[in-house]
Amino acid sequence: MRTFAFFLILGLAFTTSGRSQETIIPLWPNEVPLRIEADETEIQEKGDILKISKVQVPEIEVYLPSKANATGQGVLIFPGGGYHILAYDWEGRDIAKMLNTKGIAGIVVKNRLPTSASLEKNHLAPLVDAQRALRLVKSMAKDFNLDTDKIGIIGFSAGGHLTASLGAHYDKELIAPVDEIDLTKAKPNFIALVYPVIQFGAASTHMGSQTALLGENPTQEWIDFFSLEQQVRDDHAPTILFHSTDDTAVPVENSLSLYNALRQKNVPSALHIFPHGGHGFGLAPEIPLVNAWPKLLTDWIRSL
């Protein structure tokens, strides 16, 4: 635990002494679970979008609003990228900063990706990191001025699949607990999904995401486990979905199938389908109508 405490102090010091308002905290205190040695390093490609792949040290990057504006609400953000990369600013940092303007803490999760060579049980590593990220944030709620009953999750595309997986499988014991933080309940208080991958083994499946997570010849057991319209539970967290009809990468049937499953279980939920917008629109600053989704989201969060 000493190593973990050191990183926490370092991260918090960075917040107060640097120009930026973010705090970066590693998810794991010492050894990272499911990691194996490999000749691989993290890659960051800085173009129009910051793309991160081959993540070796999973972490959270915390953006906090001013205390005067803080609502006590927080959202963990899972960027998309087909389970190959993380669109880290487009669907991560930019989302966190948007949430800050509404008094909501934004926590970007840099989780490991199943295409990494430094993993065993590649299909479980992203979800293991997601569970840990939510547990870590809940355990540090006081430090971040958060209410533990007001912490939700949002994901985009394949990050939406990971987000929905966390919502469905938050209590699955995928690894043995490494410390007391792993005893914290990893249930989100609300879930937001933006053009999410939901269905595996279906006509509308985004095969790039399925293959990246489960390989070329997955078993039916894991297809079902990660077909999230089949995994809606009676205690599922309230959920909101955003999608566009003309999304040719991840068809709108993904969101429709989950919404119908939520409705059948009487889970409080909302679905917004836009006629245009395609896939990967992010905050959609140049797309009329679609660019209303951030306000729809924050209004919905306030309504909870």
Side-chain angles (χ1 to χ4, degrees):
M1 291 299 292
R2 286 184 179 180
T3 302
F4 192 43
F6 169 77
F7 277 116
L8 289 181
I9 293 169
L10 182 64
L12 293 171
F14 179 77
T15 302
T16 57
S17 63
R19 294 180 181 178
S20 162
Q21 293 184 348
E22 75 272 13
T23 302
I24 298 175
I25 304 172
L27 293 185
W28 304 99
N30 295 301
E31 293 184 7
V32 179
L34 304 181
R35 189 180 188 281
I36 58 176
E37 291 301 319
D39 184 17
E40 183 179 76
T41 57
E42 180 175 301
I43 298 172
Q44 296 197 11
E45 299 176 68
K46 297 180 179 178
D48 292 341
I49 297 174
L50 172 59
K51 300 177 181 179
I52 299 179
S53 59
K54 313 297 182 186
V55 174
Q56 303 298 303
V57 180
E59 60 193 23
I60 55 173
E61 191 167 315
V62 184
Y63 290 79
L64 299 177
S66 66
K67 285 190 176 182
N69 288 327
T71 63
Q73 298 164 322
V75 179
L76 280 74
I77 304 161
F78 294 89
Y83 279 121
H84 287 271
I85 61 100
L86 301 175
Y88 202 71
D89 50 2
W90 182 249
E91 295 171 345
R93 287 171 174 164
D94 288 358
I95 306 303
K97 294 170 185 176
M98 178 275 292
L99 290 169
N100 282 180
T101 67
K102 302 299 183 181
I104 303 169
I107 300 104
V108 186
V109 182
K110 186 166 77 172
N111 57 271
R112 288 170 294 168
L113 296 159
T115 50
S116 171
S118 59
L119 295 176
E120 60 177 343
K121 297 183 180 179
N122 301 54
H123 61 298
L124 292 181
L127 183 53
V128 165
D129 286 349
Q131 288 180 337
R132 175 69 180 194
L134 185 50
R135 288 173 174 142
L136 180 58
V137 170
K138 288 199 170 192
S139 73
M140 296 186 68
K142 288 185 179 179
D143 299 297
F144 299 142
N145 196 29
L146 297 178
D147 184 331
T148 54
D149 292 328
K150 296 181 179 180
I151 299 174
I153 54 179
I154 185 172
F156 299 78
S157 194
H161 185 268
L162 179 54
T163 300
S165 297
L166 176 57
H169 302 305
Y170 68 84
D171 55 356
K172 294 289 192 302
E173 187 171 310
L174 305 175
I175 61 169
V178 302
D179 56 23
E180 66 273 15
I181 291 173
D182 277 349
L183 303 180
T184 304
K185 196 173 183 179
K187 183 181 179 181
N189 296 105
F190 55 87
I191 301 169
L193 302 168
V194 187
Y195 39 84
V197 176
I198 297 296
Q199 298 174 304
F200 275 8
S204 55
T205 297
H206 182 251
M207 288 305 300
S209 295
Q210 177 178 306
T211 302
L213 188 64
L214 298 182
E216 294 286 349
N217 299 295
T219 65
Q220 191 62 46
E221 176 188 3
W222 287 113
I223 289 176
D224 292 344
F225 184 88
F226 285 114
S227 296
L228 300 166
E229 79 284 4
Q230 300 179 30
Q231 301 297 332
V232 174
R233 26 194 313 162
D234 292 331
D235 67 343
H236 217 89
T239 301
I240 189 170
L241 302 105
F242 302 94
H243 221 119
S244 64
T245 303
D246 64 349
D247 188 334
T248 57
V250 178
V252 70
E253 281 75 14
N254 283 266
S255 285
L256 290 170
S257 67
L258 182 59
Y259 176 74
N260 284 328
L262 292 164
R263 190 166 56 87
Q264 289 170 11
K265 289 281 189 178
N266 296 314
V267 177
S269 51
L271 171 63
H272 297 274
I273 299 177
F274 305 106
H276 304 290
H279 187 74
F281 48 69
L283 290 171
E286 302 299 326
I287 309 177
L289 188 60
V290 181
N291 60 16
W293 82 259
K295 185 177 187 305
L296 292 169
L297 170 67
T298 55
D299 285 350
W300 178 78
I301 292 174
R302 277 196 294 271
S303 77
L304 299 175

